[in-house]
Amino acid sequence: MLKQAFAWTFLAAGLALAQPVLAQGKDTLTVDLPNDAATLDPHIQWDTDSYTIYRNVFDNLVTRDPSGKIVPQIAMAWRYRDDTTLEFDIREGVKFHDGSPLTPADVAFSINRIINPALKSPQLSQFDQIVSAEALGGKVVMKTKSPYPALMAQLVKLSIVPKAVVESVGDQQFNLKPVGSGPYRVDAWQKGVQTTLQANEAYWAGKPPFRTVVFRVVPDVATRVADLRTGRADIVRQLGPDEAAALKKEQQLRVLASPTERIGYMFVNAQAGPTADVRVRRAIAHSIDKKTLIDALLQGYGNPVNIVLTPANFGYDADVQGYPYDLAKAKALVKEAGAEGATLSFLTSPAYDRRVVEALQQMVQEAGLKVEIVALDHPTFLRRRQGRPDEAGSLSLGRWSCACQDADGVIFPLFRTGSIWAKYSNAAFDDAVDSARKVLDEKTRLDLYRNAFRILKDDVPGIGIYQDYAIYGARKEVQWQPTPNEAFFVMDMKWVQ
Protein backbone atom coordinates (compact mmCIF):
# COMPACT_ATOMS: atom_id res chain seq x y z
CA MET A 1 0.00 0.00 0.00
CA LEU A 2 1.14 3.54 -0.52
CA LYS A 3 2.30 5.19 2.65
CA GLN A 4 0.16 8.11 1.70
CA ALA A 5 -2.34 8.81 -1.04
CA PHE A 6 -0.98 10.82 -3.89
CA ALA A 7 -3.36 13.43 -5.19
CA TRP A 8 -3.17 16.04 -7.84
CA THR A 9 -5.85 18.64 -8.22
CA PHE A 10 -5.69 21.32 -10.83
CA LEU A 11 -8.11 24.00 -11.88
CA ALA A 12 -8.82 24.68 -15.50
CA ALA A 13 -7.24 28.09 -14.99
CA GLY A 14 -4.00 26.32 -14.16
CA LEU A 15 -3.49 25.24 -17.76
CA ALA A 16 -1.30 27.41 -19.92
CA LEU A 17 -3.96 28.47 -22.38
CA ALA A 18 -2.51 31.70 -23.68
CA GLN A 19 -4.07 32.13 -27.09
CA PRO A 20 -1.90 33.25 -30.01
CA VAL A 21 -3.30 35.91 -32.27
CA LEU A 22 -3.73 35.06 -35.95
CA ALA A 23 -1.54 37.34 -38.05
CA GLN A 24 -3.47 39.18 -40.72
CA GLY A 25 -3.36 37.29 -44.02
CA LYS A 26 -1.82 34.14 -42.54
CA ASP A 27 -4.65 31.66 -42.25
CA THR A 28 -2.74 28.50 -43.21
CA LEU A 29 0.27 26.83 -41.62
CA THR A 30 2.06 24.47 -44.03
CA VAL A 31 4.26 21.75 -42.60
CA ASP A 32 6.58 19.47 -44.58
CA LEU A 33 6.98 15.96 -43.13
CA PRO A 34 9.43 13.31 -44.37
CA ASN A 35 6.72 10.64 -44.39
CA ASP A 36 2.98 10.26 -44.58
CA ALA A 37 1.10 9.27 -41.47
CA ALA A 38 0.99 5.51 -41.09
CA THR A 39 -2.37 5.95 -39.40
CA LEU A 40 -4.61 8.71 -38.04
CA ASP A 41 -6.16 6.41 -35.43
CA PRO A 42 -4.13 7.33 -32.33
CA HIS A 43 -4.47 3.85 -30.80
CA ILE A 44 -3.04 1.99 -33.78
CA GLN A 45 0.41 3.36 -34.53
CA TRP A 46 3.12 5.22 -32.71
CA ASP A 47 5.53 6.91 -35.10
CA THR A 48 6.58 10.53 -35.23
CA ASP A 49 4.89 11.55 -38.47
CA SER A 50 1.56 10.00 -37.47
CA TYR A 51 1.76 11.53 -33.99
CA THR A 52 2.73 14.94 -35.39
CA ILE A 53 -0.62 15.05 -37.18
CA TYR A 54 -3.08 13.26 -34.92
CA ARG A 55 -1.80 14.95 -31.76
CA ASN A 56 -3.65 18.02 -33.07
CA VAL A 57 -6.86 16.11 -33.77
CA PHE A 58 -7.32 14.39 -30.40
CA ASP A 59 -7.11 15.45 -26.78
CA ASN A 60 -5.12 13.24 -24.46
CA LEU A 61 -6.06 12.16 -20.97
CA VAL A 62 -3.23 14.27 -19.55
CA THR A 63 -0.39 16.21 -21.16
CA ARG A 64 2.90 17.93 -20.32
CA ASP A 65 3.51 21.65 -20.00
CA PRO A 66 6.63 23.22 -21.62
CA SER A 67 8.69 22.41 -18.50
CA GLY A 68 7.84 18.70 -18.83
CA LYS A 69 5.44 18.60 -15.88
CA ILE A 70 2.37 16.35 -16.27
CA VAL A 71 -0.73 18.58 -16.24
CA PRO A 72 -4.47 18.19 -16.97
CA GLN A 73 -6.10 17.87 -20.32
CA ILE A 74 -9.27 15.74 -20.40
CA ALA A 75 -8.55 14.60 -16.84
CA MET A 76 -8.91 17.62 -14.57
CA ALA A 77 -7.51 15.91 -11.49
CA TRP A 78 -6.42 12.45 -10.37
CA ARG A 79 -5.65 10.56 -7.20
CA TYR A 80 -4.66 7.08 -6.07
CA ARG A 81 -7.28 5.23 -4.04
CA ASP A 82 -4.68 2.55 -3.37
CA ASP A 83 -1.52 1.20 -5.03
CA THR A 84 -3.43 -0.22 -8.00
CA THR A 85 -6.51 2.04 -8.30
CA LEU A 86 -6.36 5.49 -9.85
CA GLU A 87 -9.35 7.84 -10.06
CA PHE A 88 -9.71 10.65 -12.62
CA ASP A 89 -12.08 13.63 -12.62
CA ILE A 90 -13.14 14.17 -16.25
CA ARG A 91 -13.45 17.64 -17.73
CA GLU A 92 -17.00 18.71 -18.56
CA GLY A 93 -18.12 20.70 -21.59
CA VAL A 94 -15.76 19.09 -24.13
CA LYS A 95 -17.28 18.13 -27.49
CA PHE A 96 -16.10 15.89 -30.27
CA HIS A 97 -15.91 17.25 -33.81
CA ASP A 98 -19.30 15.72 -34.63
CA GLY A 99 -20.89 17.80 -31.85
CA SER A 100 -21.39 14.95 -29.39
CA PRO A 101 -20.18 15.46 -25.81
CA LEU A 102 -17.00 13.78 -24.57
CA THR A 103 -17.97 11.77 -21.49
CA PRO A 104 -16.29 9.55 -18.91
CA ALA A 105 -17.65 6.60 -20.91
CA ASP A 106 -15.52 7.70 -23.88
CA VAL A 107 -12.46 7.89 -21.64
CA ALA A 108 -13.06 4.43 -20.22
CA PHE A 109 -13.69 3.09 -23.72
CA SER A 110 -10.43 4.60 -25.00
CA ILE A 111 -8.44 2.98 -22.20
CA ASN A 112 -10.10 -0.41 -22.61
CA ARG A 113 -9.71 -0.24 -26.39
CA ILE A 114 -5.97 0.29 -26.41
CA ILE A 115 -5.34 -2.53 -23.92
CA ASN A 116 -7.51 -4.97 -25.88
CA PRO A 117 -5.09 -7.46 -27.51
CA ALA A 118 -7.51 -7.86 -30.42
CA LEU A 119 -6.73 -4.30 -31.55
CA LYS A 120 -3.07 -5.34 -31.97
CA SER A 121 -1.81 -1.88 -31.10
CA PRO A 122 1.97 -1.44 -31.25
CA GLN A 123 1.47 0.67 -28.12
CA LEU A 124 0.03 -2.24 -26.15
CA SER A 125 3.23 -3.01 -24.24
CA GLN A 126 3.22 0.54 -22.86
CA PHE A 127 -0.31 0.21 -21.47
CA ASP A 128 -0.57 -3.49 -20.65
CA GLN A 129 -0.25 -2.96 -16.90
CA ILE A 130 -3.76 -1.51 -17.00
CA VAL A 131 -6.42 -4.11 -16.22
CA SER A 132 -9.57 -2.07 -16.76
CA ALA A 133 -11.25 1.32 -16.73
CA GLU A 134 -14.80 2.10 -15.64
CA ALA A 135 -16.88 5.26 -15.85
CA LEU A 136 -18.54 6.14 -12.55
CA GLY A 137 -20.50 9.37 -12.64
CA GLY A 138 -18.14 12.15 -13.66
CA LYS A 139 -15.09 10.04 -12.91
CA VAL A 140 -13.12 7.19 -14.43
CA VAL A 141 -11.61 4.53 -12.19
CA MET A 142 -8.60 2.69 -13.60
CA LYS A 143 -7.12 -0.48 -12.15
CA THR A 144 -3.62 -1.84 -12.78
CA LYS A 145 -2.18 -5.32 -12.32
CA SER A 146 0.25 -4.07 -9.70
CA PRO A 147 1.74 -0.76 -8.57
CA TYR A 148 3.01 0.83 -11.79
CA PRO A 149 5.32 3.81 -11.27
CA ALA A 150 5.41 4.84 -14.95
CA LEU A 151 1.61 4.94 -15.31
CA MET A 152 1.08 8.70 -15.47
CA ALA A 153 4.06 9.13 -17.80
CA GLN A 154 2.50 6.61 -20.17
CA LEU A 155 -0.97 8.16 -19.95
CA VAL A 156 0.42 11.39 -21.40
CA LYS A 157 0.09 9.59 -24.77
CA LEU A 158 -3.44 8.26 -24.35
CA SER A 159 -5.80 9.96 -26.81
CA ILE A 160 -9.55 9.98 -26.22
CA VAL A 161 -11.77 8.65 -29.03
CA PRO A 162 -15.59 8.70 -29.25
CA LYS A 163 -17.05 5.35 -28.25
CA ALA A 164 -20.22 5.71 -30.34
CA VAL A 165 -18.36 6.59 -33.55
CA VAL A 166 -15.75 3.82 -33.29
CA GLU A 167 -18.39 1.20 -32.51
CA SER A 168 -20.60 2.45 -35.34
CA VAL A 169 -18.06 2.64 -38.18
CA GLY A 170 -15.42 0.13 -37.04
CA ASP A 171 -11.66 0.45 -36.65
CA GLN A 172 -10.73 0.61 -40.34
CA GLN A 173 -13.20 3.33 -41.24
CA PHE A 174 -12.37 5.31 -38.10
CA ASN A 175 -8.73 5.38 -39.18
CA LEU A 176 -9.74 6.86 -42.54
CA LYS A 177 -12.12 9.43 -41.05
CA PRO A 178 -11.12 10.00 -37.43
CA VAL A 179 -13.21 12.08 -35.07
CA GLY A 180 -11.48 13.72 -32.13
CA SER A 181 -12.07 16.58 -29.73
CA GLY A 182 -8.80 18.45 -30.34
CA PRO A 183 -8.16 21.91 -31.77
CA TYR A 184 -8.20 20.62 -35.36
CA ARG A 185 -10.43 18.23 -37.29
CA VAL A 186 -9.40 16.14 -40.28
CA ASP A 187 -10.68 17.70 -43.51
CA ALA A 188 -8.92 15.42 -46.01
CA TRP A 189 -6.23 12.73 -46.03
CA GLN A 190 -4.69 12.22 -49.46
CA LYS A 191 -2.46 9.27 -48.73
CA GLY A 192 1.09 9.82 -49.84
CA VAL A 193 0.40 13.48 -50.61
CA GLN A 194 -0.92 15.53 -47.69
CA THR A 195 -3.30 15.75 -44.75
CA THR A 196 -5.40 18.88 -44.30
CA LEU A 197 -6.78 19.92 -40.92
CA GLN A 198 -9.36 22.63 -40.24
CA ALA A 199 -9.67 24.57 -37.01
CA ASN A 200 -12.19 23.43 -34.43
CA GLU A 201 -13.63 26.86 -33.67
CA ALA A 202 -15.48 25.45 -30.65
CA TYR A 203 -12.36 23.99 -29.04
CA TRP A 204 -12.70 24.07 -25.27
CA ALA A 205 -9.19 25.46 -24.69
CA GLY A 206 -9.58 28.44 -27.03
CA LYS A 207 -9.41 29.41 -30.67
CA PRO A 208 -6.71 27.60 -32.68
CA PRO A 209 -3.99 29.90 -34.09
CA PHE A 210 -4.47 28.90 -37.77
CA ARG A 211 -7.68 28.17 -39.65
CA THR A 212 -5.99 25.49 -41.74
CA VAL A 213 -2.95 23.29 -41.20
CA VAL A 214 -1.55 21.33 -44.13
CA PHE A 215 0.90 18.49 -43.52
CA ARG A 216 2.64 17.70 -46.82
CA VAL A 217 4.57 14.48 -47.51
CA VAL A 218 8.04 15.50 -48.75
CA PRO A 219 10.52 12.61 -48.36
CA ASP A 220 13.52 14.45 -49.83
CA VAL A 221 15.20 16.74 -47.31
CA ALA A 222 16.57 19.03 -50.04
CA THR A 223 13.04 19.59 -51.28
CA ARG A 224 11.85 20.34 -47.74
CA VAL A 225 14.59 22.96 -47.42
CA ALA A 226 13.71 24.44 -50.82
CA ASP A 227 10.05 24.64 -49.78
CA LEU A 228 11.08 26.54 -46.67
CA ARG A 229 13.24 28.98 -48.63
CA THR A 230 10.52 29.71 -51.18
CA GLY A 231 7.74 29.96 -48.60
CA ARG A 232 5.89 26.86 -49.80
CA ALA A 233 6.38 25.53 -46.25
CA ASP A 234 6.36 27.40 -42.96
CA ILE A 235 8.01 24.70 -40.92
CA VAL A 236 9.74 21.45 -41.87
CA ARG A 237 10.50 18.41 -39.74
CA GLN A 238 13.65 16.32 -39.57
CA LEU A 239 16.45 18.42 -40.93
CA GLY A 240 19.92 16.96 -41.04
CA PRO A 241 22.86 18.71 -39.36
CA ASP A 242 24.21 19.95 -42.72
CA GLU A 243 20.90 21.51 -43.65
CA ALA A 244 20.62 23.07 -40.19
CA ALA A 245 24.07 24.64 -40.50
CA ALA A 246 23.17 26.14 -43.88
CA LEU A 247 19.81 27.51 -42.71
CA LYS A 248 21.39 29.24 -39.71
CA LYS A 249 23.05 31.63 -42.16
CA GLU A 250 19.78 32.74 -43.74
CA GLN A 251 18.05 35.80 -42.32
CA GLN A 252 14.48 34.78 -43.15
CA LEU A 253 14.77 31.31 -41.60
CA ARG A 254 15.32 29.78 -38.18
CA VAL A 255 16.61 26.47 -36.90
CA LEU A 256 14.63 25.10 -33.95
CA ALA A 257 16.44 22.28 -32.17
CA SER A 258 16.25 20.45 -28.86
CA PRO A 259 17.96 17.39 -27.32
CA THR A 260 15.28 14.80 -26.79
CA GLU A 261 14.50 11.63 -24.94
CA ARG A 262 14.75 9.86 -28.30
CA ILE A 263 17.48 7.25 -28.57
CA GLY A 264 19.35 6.68 -31.81
CA TYR A 265 20.13 2.97 -31.82
CA MET A 266 20.76 0.01 -34.07
CA PHE A 267 18.30 -2.87 -33.94
CA VAL A 268 20.04 -6.25 -34.25
CA ASN A 269 17.83 -9.26 -34.94
CA ALA A 270 18.67 -11.92 -32.34
CA GLN A 271 16.23 -14.50 -33.69
CA ALA A 272 16.85 -14.83 -37.42
CA GLY A 273 19.70 -14.89 -39.91
CA PRO A 274 23.44 -14.51 -39.19
CA THR A 275 22.75 -12.13 -36.30
CA ALA A 276 21.09 -14.96 -34.35
CA ASP A 277 24.69 -15.76 -33.31
CA VAL A 278 25.62 -13.53 -30.37
CA ARG A 279 29.24 -13.39 -31.59
CA VAL A 280 28.06 -11.68 -34.77
CA ARG A 281 25.99 -9.22 -32.73
CA ARG A 282 28.99 -8.40 -30.53
CA ALA A 283 31.16 -7.99 -33.60
CA ILE A 284 28.69 -5.45 -34.98
CA ALA A 285 28.79 -3.55 -31.68
CA HIS A 286 32.61 -3.41 -31.79
CA SER A 287 32.53 -2.22 -35.42
CA ILE A 288 30.60 1.01 -34.75
CA ASP A 289 32.76 4.09 -34.32
CA LYS A 290 30.26 6.33 -32.50
CA LYS A 291 32.59 9.31 -32.13
CA THR A 292 33.36 9.50 -35.83
CA LEU A 293 29.70 9.05 -36.69
CA ILE A 294 28.56 11.84 -34.37
CA ASP A 295 31.40 14.24 -35.21
CA ALA A 296 31.32 13.74 -38.97
CA LEU A 297 27.62 13.42 -39.65
CA LEU A 298 25.65 14.86 -36.73
CA GLN A 299 27.79 17.99 -36.20
CA GLY A 300 26.98 18.24 -32.53
CA TYR A 301 23.30 17.33 -32.84
CA GLY A 302 23.79 14.12 -30.89
CA ASN A 303 25.31 12.93 -27.63
CA PRO A 304 26.98 9.47 -27.45
CA VAL A 305 25.42 6.81 -25.19
CA ASN A 306 26.48 3.33 -24.16
CA ILE A 307 23.00 1.88 -23.64
CA VAL A 308 19.65 2.00 -25.43
CA LEU A 309 18.41 4.96 -23.36
CA THR A 310 19.18 8.67 -23.03
CA PRO A 311 20.01 10.74 -19.93
CA ALA A 312 16.58 12.41 -20.32
CA ASN A 313 14.92 9.18 -19.16
CA PHE A 314 14.51 7.72 -15.69
CA GLY A 315 16.60 4.55 -15.51
CA TYR A 316 19.60 5.82 -17.47
CA ASP A 317 22.80 4.33 -16.07
CA ALA A 318 26.12 5.82 -17.17
CA ASP A 319 28.04 3.09 -15.33
CA VAL A 320 26.95 0.31 -17.70
CA GLN A 321 29.66 0.22 -20.33
CA GLY A 322 29.07 -0.41 -24.01
CA TYR A 323 31.34 -2.02 -26.58
CA PRO A 324 34.37 0.12 -27.49
CA TYR A 325 35.21 0.57 -31.14
CA ASP A 326 37.65 -2.26 -31.87
CA LEU A 327 37.73 -3.36 -35.50
CA ALA A 328 40.28 -6.11 -34.87
CA LYS A 329 38.05 -7.61 -32.17
CA ALA A 330 35.03 -7.32 -34.48
CA LYS A 331 36.81 -9.19 -37.27
CA ALA A 332 37.96 -11.88 -34.86
CA LEU A 333 34.41 -12.45 -33.60
CA VAL A 334 33.04 -12.70 -37.14
CA LYS A 335 35.72 -15.25 -37.99
CA GLU A 336 35.07 -17.21 -34.79
CA ALA A 337 31.37 -17.38 -35.70
CA GLY A 338 32.19 -18.61 -39.20
CA ALA A 339 30.23 -15.68 -40.58
CA GLU A 340 32.81 -14.05 -42.88
CA GLY A 341 31.00 -12.69 -45.93
CA ALA A 342 27.54 -13.40 -44.47
CA THR A 343 24.83 -11.11 -45.86
CA LEU A 344 22.83 -8.90 -43.50
CA SER A 345 19.75 -6.97 -44.64
CA PHE A 346 19.60 -3.40 -43.30
CA LEU A 347 15.99 -2.13 -43.44
CA THR A 348 15.48 1.62 -43.68
CA SER A 349 12.95 4.26 -44.77
CA PRO A 350 12.93 8.00 -45.54
CA ALA A 351 12.48 8.60 -41.80
CA TYR A 352 16.18 7.87 -41.29
CA ASP A 353 19.22 9.82 -42.43
CA ARG A 354 20.58 7.91 -45.42
CA ARG A 355 24.11 9.09 -44.67
CA VAL A 356 23.99 7.61 -41.20
CA VAL A 357 22.59 4.36 -42.57
CA GLU A 358 25.35 4.16 -45.18
CA ALA A 359 28.04 5.01 -42.62
CA LEU A 360 26.83 2.18 -40.39
CA GLN A 361 26.71 -0.11 -43.41
CA GLN A 362 30.35 0.65 -44.17
CA MET A 363 31.45 0.19 -40.56
CA VAL A 364 29.78 -3.21 -40.24
CA GLN A 365 31.16 -4.32 -43.61
CA GLU A 366 34.68 -3.53 -42.44
CA ALA A 367 34.21 -6.27 -39.82
CA GLY A 368 33.91 -8.84 -42.62
CA LEU A 369 30.14 -8.91 -43.15
CA LYS A 370 28.14 -7.93 -46.23
CA VAL A 371 25.37 -5.42 -45.57
CA GLU A 372 22.58 -4.82 -48.08
CA ILE A 373 20.41 -1.73 -47.56
CA VAL A 374 16.70 -2.36 -48.15
CA ALA A 375 14.89 0.99 -48.64
CA LEU A 376 11.14 0.91 -47.92
CA ASP A 377 8.34 3.44 -47.53
CA HIS A 378 7.78 4.08 -43.85
CA PRO A 379 4.48 2.20 -43.36
CA THR A 380 6.04 -0.89 -45.00
CA PHE A 381 9.15 -0.47 -42.88
CA LEU A 382 7.01 -0.43 -39.74
CA ARG A 383 5.04 -3.50 -40.79
CA ARG A 384 8.20 -5.50 -41.42
CA ARG A 385 9.99 -4.23 -38.34
CA GLN A 386 6.96 -5.20 -36.23
CA GLY A 387 6.49 -8.51 -38.03
CA ARG A 388 8.02 -11.97 -37.72
CA PRO A 389 11.75 -12.27 -37.04
CA ASP A 390 12.35 -13.69 -40.52
CA GLU A 391 10.86 -10.57 -42.19
CA ALA A 392 12.25 -7.90 -39.83
CA GLY A 393 15.72 -7.73 -41.40
CA SER A 394 19.06 -8.26 -39.69
CA LEU A 395 19.62 -4.60 -38.86
CA SER A 396 17.82 -1.28 -38.85
CA LEU A 397 18.45 2.18 -37.52
CA GLY A 398 15.97 3.20 -34.84
CA ARG A 399 15.10 6.56 -33.32
CA TRP A 400 12.83 5.55 -30.45
CA SER A 401 10.86 7.81 -28.17
CA CYS A 402 8.16 6.75 -25.73
CA ALA A 403 7.31 10.38 -24.86
CA CYS A 404 7.23 9.15 -21.27
CA GLN A 405 10.83 9.80 -20.19
CA ASP A 406 11.07 6.45 -18.43
CA ALA A 407 13.08 3.30 -19.24
CA ASP A 408 9.86 1.31 -19.04
CA GLY A 409 8.67 2.94 -22.24
CA VAL A 410 11.89 2.16 -24.10
CA ILE A 411 13.48 -1.17 -23.27
CA PHE A 412 10.25 -2.93 -22.31
CA PRO A 413 8.60 -2.54 -25.74
CA LEU A 414 11.86 -2.91 -27.64
CA PHE A 415 13.18 -6.08 -25.98
CA ARG A 416 10.59 -7.74 -23.73
CA THR A 417 9.65 -11.23 -24.92
CA GLY A 418 6.38 -11.08 -26.85
CA SER A 419 6.57 -7.39 -27.75
CA ILE A 420 5.73 -6.62 -31.36
CA TRP A 421 9.10 -4.87 -31.63
CA ALA A 422 11.25 -7.52 -29.93
CA LYS A 423 13.21 -10.05 -31.96
CA TYR A 424 14.86 -11.26 -28.78
CA SER A 425 13.99 -13.24 -25.66
CA ASN A 426 15.77 -13.59 -22.33
CA ALA A 427 13.93 -14.68 -19.17
CA ALA A 428 16.32 -12.85 -16.85
CA PHE A 429 15.83 -9.59 -18.75
CA ASP A 430 12.06 -10.11 -18.73
CA ASP A 431 12.10 -10.61 -14.98
CA ALA A 432 14.10 -7.41 -14.42
CA VAL A 433 11.86 -5.16 -16.52
CA ASP A 434 8.68 -6.82 -15.25
CA SER A 435 9.78 -6.21 -11.67
CA ALA A 436 10.81 -2.61 -12.38
CA ARG A 437 7.29 -1.73 -13.49
CA LYS A 438 5.73 -3.16 -10.30
CA VAL A 439 7.63 -1.31 -7.56
CA LEU A 440 7.26 2.31 -6.56
CA ASP A 441 10.65 2.69 -4.83
CA GLU A 442 12.96 4.53 -7.22
CA LYS A 443 16.21 3.03 -5.91
CA THR A 444 14.88 -0.49 -6.38
CA ARG A 445 13.77 0.38 -9.90
CA LEU A 446 17.19 1.80 -10.76
CA ASP A 447 18.89 -1.36 -9.51
CA LEU A 448 16.58 -3.48 -11.66
CA TYR A 449 17.22 -1.39 -14.74
CA ARG A 450 20.98 -1.57 -14.15
CA ASN A 451 20.68 -5.35 -14.20
CA ALA A 452 18.52 -5.22 -17.33
CA PHE A 453 21.05 -3.08 -19.18
CA ARG A 454 23.88 -5.41 -18.23
CA ILE A 455 21.92 -8.30 -19.75
CA LEU A 456 21.30 -6.29 -22.91
CA LYS A 457 25.00 -5.52 -23.14
CA ASP A 458 25.85 -9.24 -23.08
CA ASP A 459 23.13 -10.24 -25.55
CA VAL A 460 23.28 -7.20 -27.91
CA PRO A 461 19.73 -7.19 -29.39
CA GLY A 462 20.27 -3.47 -29.86
CA ILE A 463 23.12 -0.97 -29.71
CA GLY A 464 22.72 2.51 -28.23
CA ILE A 465 24.51 5.09 -30.38
CA TYR A 466 23.38 8.64 -29.55
CA GLN A 467 20.85 10.87 -27.86
CA ASP A 468 18.90 12.34 -30.74
CA TYR A 469 18.08 15.98 -31.39
CA ALA A 470 14.83 17.17 -32.91
CA ILE A 471 15.79 19.63 -35.66
CA TYR A 472 13.21 21.75 -37.43
CA GLY A 473 13.56 24.52 -39.95
CA ALA A 474 11.03 27.37 -39.85
CA ARG A 475 10.22 30.73 -41.33
CA LYS A 476 11.32 33.42 -38.91
CA GLU A 477 7.66 34.37 -38.37
CA VAL A 478 6.88 31.00 -36.75
CA GLN A 479 7.17 31.30 -32.99
CA TRP A 480 7.55 27.90 -31.30
CA GLN A 481 10.06 25.93 -29.25
CA PRO A 482 10.46 22.13 -29.57
CA THR A 483 10.33 20.05 -26.39
CA PRO A 484 12.26 16.92 -25.31
CA ASN A 485 9.19 14.72 -25.90
CA GLU A 486 8.72 16.11 -29.46
CA ALA A 487 5.06 17.04 -29.07
CA PHE A 488 4.24 18.99 -32.23
CA PHE A 489 1.24 20.86 -30.85
CA VAL A 490 0.04 23.62 -33.17
CA MET A 491 -1.83 25.30 -30.29
CA ASP A 492 1.59 26.19 -28.87
CA MET A 493 2.57 28.07 -32.04
CA LYS A 494 1.88 31.51 -33.36
CA TRP A 495 2.76 33.63 -36.36
CA VAL A 496 4.41 36.98 -35.73
CA GLN A 497 5.31 39.64 -38.31
Side-chain angles (χ1 to χ4, degrees), residues 78-304:
W78 52 93
R79 64 200 62 82
Y80 275 101
R81 289 182 175 180
D82 56 48
D83 285 4
T84 60
T85 307
L86 189 57
E87 182 181 81
F88 298 90
D89 299 335
I90 304 304
R91 185 182 300 275
E92 297 180 351
V94 178
K95 291 186 177 181
F96 288 111
H97 299 151
D98 64 357
S100 63
L102 187 155
T103 69
D106 296 303
V107 176
F109 172 80
S110 299
I111 296 168
N112 291 323
R113 180 178 187 245
I114 205 167
I115 65 174
N116 182 356
L119 188 65
K120 297 182 179 179
S121 172
Q123 303 177 54
L124 177 60
S125 63
Q126 301 185 44
F127 293 99
D128 65 357
Q129 283 297 293
I130 301 172
V131 174
S132 65
E134 181 181 6
L136 296 173
K139 304 180 186 299
V140 169
V141 177
M142 177 189 299
K143 291 188 176 295
T144 59
K145 296 176 183 177
S146 63
Y148 182 35
L151 179 60
M152 290 305 303
Q154 298 287 20
L155 291 174
V156 165
K157 301 171 295 184
L158 182 72
S159 297
I160 309 305
V161 300
K163 179 177 185 290
V165 175
V166 175
E167 290 183 336
S168 173
V169 303
D171 295 334
Q172 292 186 352
Q173 190 64 24
F174 184 74
N175 179 43
L176 296 175
K177 296 182 178 180
V179 176
S181 62
Y184 288 89
R185 58 179 177 80
V186 176
D187 181 61
W189 182 15
Q190 298 170 269
K191 289 193 175 183
V193 181
Q194 68 181 38
T195 303
T196 304
L197 308 183
Q198 296 294 340
N200 173 13
E201 300 292 346
Y203 187 51
W204 62 269
K207 184 178 180 179
F210 301 93
R211 293 190 181 95
T212 304
V213 182
V214 179
F215 293 93
R216 302 169 64 242
V217 181
V218 186
D220 181 61
V221 66
T223 305
R224 296 200 295 275
V225 171
D227 287 347
L228 195 61
R229 285 176 171 146
T230 60
R232 279 176 53 83
D234 300 308
I235 185 166
V236 302
R237 196 180 79 74
Q238 197 171 317
L239 290 182
D242 290 344
E243 292 81 17
L247 290 184
K248 281 184 175 180
K249 302 174 184 178
E250 302 191 26
Q251 185 176 4
Q252 297 301 313
L253 307 177
R254 302 170 61 210
V255 174
L256 307 173
S258 173
T260 70
E261 66 168 6
R262 184 179 298 277
I263 178 71
Y265 75 102
M266 177 178 275
F267 156 74
V268 189
N269 193 330
Q271 294 182 325
T275 52
D277 189 319
V278 70
R279 294 169 294 184
V280 175
R281 301 199 299 273
R282 290 172 181 169
I284 293 168
H286 276 302
S287 74
I288 297 176
D289 185 349
K290 299 177 186 178
K291 186 177 188 305
T292 296
L293 187 73
I294 293 170
D295 291 348
L297 297 181
L298 302 186
Q299 298 186 32
Y301 290 108
N303 303 316

